[in-house]
Structures are given as C-alpha cells and as structure tokens.
Amino acid sequence: MYGLYGALLLWAVALYCVRRDFARAWAEPCLRHPVMVFEGDDWGYGPLEQADALRDIARALSAHTDAQGRHPVMTLGVILAGPDEARPDEAEACVALDDARLAPVLAEMRTGVARGVFSLQLHGMQHYHPAVLDKACAQDPALRAWRRQPFPATEDLPSPLQSRWTDASSLPSQALDGTDIVSRATAEVSTFARIFGVMPAVAVPPTFVWNDAVETAWAAAGVRALVTPGERYERRGADGMPVDSGRLYRNGQRCASGLTALVRDDYYEPVRGHRADRGLEALARKWAQRRPLLLETHRSNFVGRHARHQDSLAAIDSLIAGARKRYPTLCFVSVEALADAYAAGGSVLLDHGLPARLRALPSRLLTTGRRRKVLLLLCVLTAFAVALTA
Ligand SMILES: [Zn+2]
C-alpha cells in the first residue's frame, strides 16, 4: 500500500512541476480540423522581381483546394516602405509601396488576394527603424552604401538592425522612446490602410522583437491579431541575438493590449533544404495538439541572391499535395480568419468538446524527450506499486 501512496505522491509532484504549462495547455481552444497556413514575410518594398515570384506562387496555390473548395493561403507580411535612393542621407526619407515604380508588385498582391490565395498582414512600415539605421550608418560605410541602392533588400541588413522596435545601433540594444513607438506604429497602420484600402487585421513584429507599447499602439489603431513565436523578445543582447523576455503567448490568447495572439513556431524555408516531409511532420505534431500549423517562410526563398525560385515553388506544391492526401479534412484559412474564430469562440473551426481537449493535452504537454521519459518512469512505478498491492 505504501508503494501506491508513493506513486501518487510522485504523480502529484510531477503535476505540480508542470502546473503552469498544464493550465496554459488546458486553456487553449482545440481545432476541429487540421489547419495549415504559409506565412510569407518580407514582401512589398524591394526588388521588382517580386512581381513574377508572387504571380508564380499565386498560380501554385490556386492549383489546390480543400474539401470546402478554398485555396491554400500564403499570408504576406508586408513591408510598406524603404530607402529613397534619391535622398539616401535623409533618415526618414522613404519610397512607399504605392510608388508607381512598385505598381507591378502591388498589383500581384491585390490579384492574389482577390483569388483567395494571399492574405495581407502588417509587417512594418520599414523592416528597420529609420532613425536607428541612420545612427548605424554614421559608423558603417557598408550600411550607407546599402541605403544608396535602388530598392535594396532588407534581408541584407545585419540581423539586429532588422528589428524595428528596439535601438540596435549599438549592442546590447536600448529601448526606444514610447512616443516614438506610438507615432510609428500608428503611422504604419494608416499607411497600410491608404495603400490597400483596408485596415490591417494582423500584425507580425519584424524579427519578433516588440513590447507592450507596440502592441497597445497597434490595437488602438485597429489591428486585431498578433502573430508571435509563442514568446516575446524585447531587445537584442550583446551578441546581437534576440533576448527572451519570459512573456509567453498561446493561440487565441486575449492579450492585455486587446490583440488576439497566434503562435507561429514552425518553418518552411526551401532554400534551407526544407521539403514536404518536414512540413508533414510539423502538421502531424500540430494536429495531435489540435493547433494550427503556421509555417514561417520568407520571400528570400523566391527573390534575391540566395533564392531558388522553382525549387521553392515545387516544395510548397508537394507539401500541399501531401497534406491534402494525408488529411482529407485539412482546412485552408487565413490567419485573420483563424484569429477571428479564436476571438469569437465559434464551433466551425473550434471543437469545445471534452474529448478533443483530453486528446490534445498529452501532445501539448509532452513536448520534450525528458517529459516523455518522466511519464514512462511514473507509469512503470505505478504499475509496479499496483502489482505489489494486488
Ligand atoms: Zn521579416
């Protein structure tokens, strides 16, 4: 009998250790069907060859449908502006996406939205902070040269400077002034609305570095949802890497700012060798957890020095085909629709039943090999204790 008490005590200790994760896993709603979305970042301002890439991606996505006849969606995290080569030394001078020279890029975005294969999300006015970049330029001739090119690609900037919401002109980065954040976040929302004729529903912080002031300003300006990696980075460390703030997010979480959080923590970058099997593995894991698969991918797969355009198209096509075959009820929706479903708590996309929640719980909790080993050990000890008692 003492063995059984001992086993129960060990179970209680184990549950106590994971109580926060347990509460978070239990609170997160479950999906009714598998969901897969491609999350394409960094489109918009930049090289004109984006227009051809966007047309080809739209064509590839249009070739597939789910059981409801919806096409797979690639969200486009849009960058609205970048340096003006005619005024390279003016920190705030910029060319916006509705400049006549970028009309072919904008037209392909709009065409893809009309076809139901693209969904536009706010990634930022620029993929950097103009005043911070200007400070960094004063120290670095290579940065000044970058700013003098016609439509330079922000992927070529040093990673810390691609973070818009911290001052990484020197490392470790410093916090930005709150009023500066509010005015820039508000301005980028209104610029998005001017260019596309609709408010941005979803925002994606560049490099996933942001803070409460950014969130609150976006929400006040009309943004409804926030794409996160499941946690928040607020600055860059001395080594230039994002520093974890300890703030966690889950799908459907109503943030203090009022935004609805989504979690994007899987990647599909064909230039890095990612192929259908990787995407299918991620989809299986996410479906077991009754969570959506948001696959981060970048325009650099299709455009720029390292791009492998045809390979990337083929990799997306084969993943969609494989996912449709393996999951007949797979749903293709936008992140905006997903966020609205979480916020509304409806039952078309969500399953509020107890069986779904109980089924998802082990997959949501047993995310590391260590936890699986502990569970196995507890099960063995419990069986041993029961056997001794019987
Ligand atoms: Zn980006």
Side-chain angles (χ1 to χ4, degrees):
M1 203 63 192
Y2 288 118
L4 208 51
Y5 290 145
L8 283 172
L9 185 65
L10 288 175
W11 277 100
V13 170
L15 282 172
Y16 181 79
C17 290
V18 297
R19 65 193 183 285
R20 286 199 184 90
D21 283 359
F22 188 95
R24 288 169 48 76
W26 188 254
E28 182 177 332
C30 293
L31 286 183
R32 186 173 293 284
H33 303 294
V35 166
M36 182 172 77
V37 193
F38 293 95
E39 285 261 274
D41 278 352
D42 302 346
W43 296 93
Y45 176 93
L48 287 177
E49 58 184 305
Q50 289 178 95
D52 289 338
L54 288 167
R55 189 183 312 118
D56 290 347
I57 294 168
R59 192 180 299 136
L61 297 172
S62 299
H64 300 274
T65 51
D66 66 11
Q68 272 71 45
R70 294 171 298 210
H71 295 303
V73 177
M74 180 178 282
T75 62
L76 302 181
V78 181
I79 291 299
L80 300 165
D84 182 350
E85 62 168 325
R87 297 179 294 162
D89 298 322
E90 292 175 41
E92 301 293 337
C94 65
V95 172
L97 183 53
D98 53 355
D99 184 278
R101 288 166 288 176
L102 289 169
V105 177
L106 190 54
E108 292 303 334
M109 288 182 165
R110 288 184 171 137
T111 303
V113 171
R115 289 171 80 174
V117 295
F118 292 153
S119 174
L120 305 174
Q121 302 182 159
L122 174 66
H123 199 26
M125 182 77 94
Q126 294 99 344
H127 208 304
Y128 53 85
H129 187 295
V132 169
L133 179 67
D134 198 53
K135 274 200 274 181
C137 278
Q139 315 292 327
D140 187 344
L143 287 176
R144 291 198 292 277
W146 177 84
R147 212 164 50 166
R148 287 174 184 278
Q149 302 169 69
F151 299 110
T154 45
E155 294 91 330
D156 294 337
L157 284 173
S159 175
L161 289 174
Q162 293 184 37
S163 293
R164 177 167 167 77
W165 299 117
T166 187
D167 181 350
S169 56
S170 61
L171 295 172
S173 72
Q174 302 297 314
L176 295 167
D177 178 57
T179 53
D180 177 76
I181 288 176
V182 172
S183 69
R184 289 184 190 277
T186 308
E188 64 186 17
V189 170
S190 59
T191 303
F192 185 105
R194 186 194 80 214
I195 293 174
F196 294 110
V198 289
M199 296 295 287
V202 183
V204 187
T207 75
F208 285 135
V209 174
W210 81 101
N211 59 24
D212 278 331
V214 180
E215 261 186 53
T216 305
W218 275 337
V223 175
R224 302 198 303 273
L226 176 74
V227 175
T228 77
E231 55 192 336
R232 186 162 94 188
Y233 308 107
E234 294 191 4
R235 58 191 180 88
R236 297 279 187 156
D239 58 358
M241 298 299 286
V243 179
D244 191 352
S245 68
R247 183 78 71 94
L248 301 176
Y249 293 84
R250 60 167 175 78
N251 288 301
Q253 178 180 329
R254 175 92 169 169
C255 307
S257 60
L259 298 177
T260 299
L262 274 307
V263 175
R264 180 215 283 182
D265 56 4
D266 284 291
Y267 302 86
Y268 200 62
E269 309 279 17
V271 286
R272 294 194 201 167
H274 299 172
R275 291 294 178 269
D277 53 351
R278 178 190 172 101
L280 291 171
E281 211 174 278
L283 183 56
R285 190 174 58 249
K286 281 291 192 284
W287 174 231
Q289 298 170 344
R290 297 301 187 261
R291 286 172 171 152
L293 175 63
L294 274 55
L295 281 172
E296 180 166 317
T297 186
H298 292 86
R299 81 170 172 186
S300 53
N301 289 285
F302 304 92
V303 175
R305 283 180 292 140
H306 307 293
R308 296 176 64 185
H309 180 61
Q310 291 303 332
D311 279 358
S312 299
L313 283 174
I316 282 182
D317 185 70
S318 64
L319 172 54
I320 297 169
R324 278 287 291 130
K325 195 173 168 191
R326 193 174 294 182
Y327 300 96
T329 61
L330 180 69
C331 285
F332 296 136
V333 294
S334 65
V335 168
E336 177 180 350
L338 198 54
D340 287 345
Y342 277 118
S347 57
V348 176
L349 277 175
L350 303 179
D351 184 343
H352 302 289
L354 190 61
R357 303 180 81 187
L358 289 174
R359 204 176 305 131
L361 199 59
S363 303
R364 289 179 177 185
L365 287 175
L366 300 173
T367 49
T368 62
R370 192 164 159 235
R371 285 189 179 181
R372 285 189 287 272
K373 279 179 198 161
V374 169
L375 177 71
L376 183 66
L377 185 65
L378 280 174
C379 289
V380 169
L381 288 174
T382 307
F384 199 56
V386 170
L388 280 180
T389 312

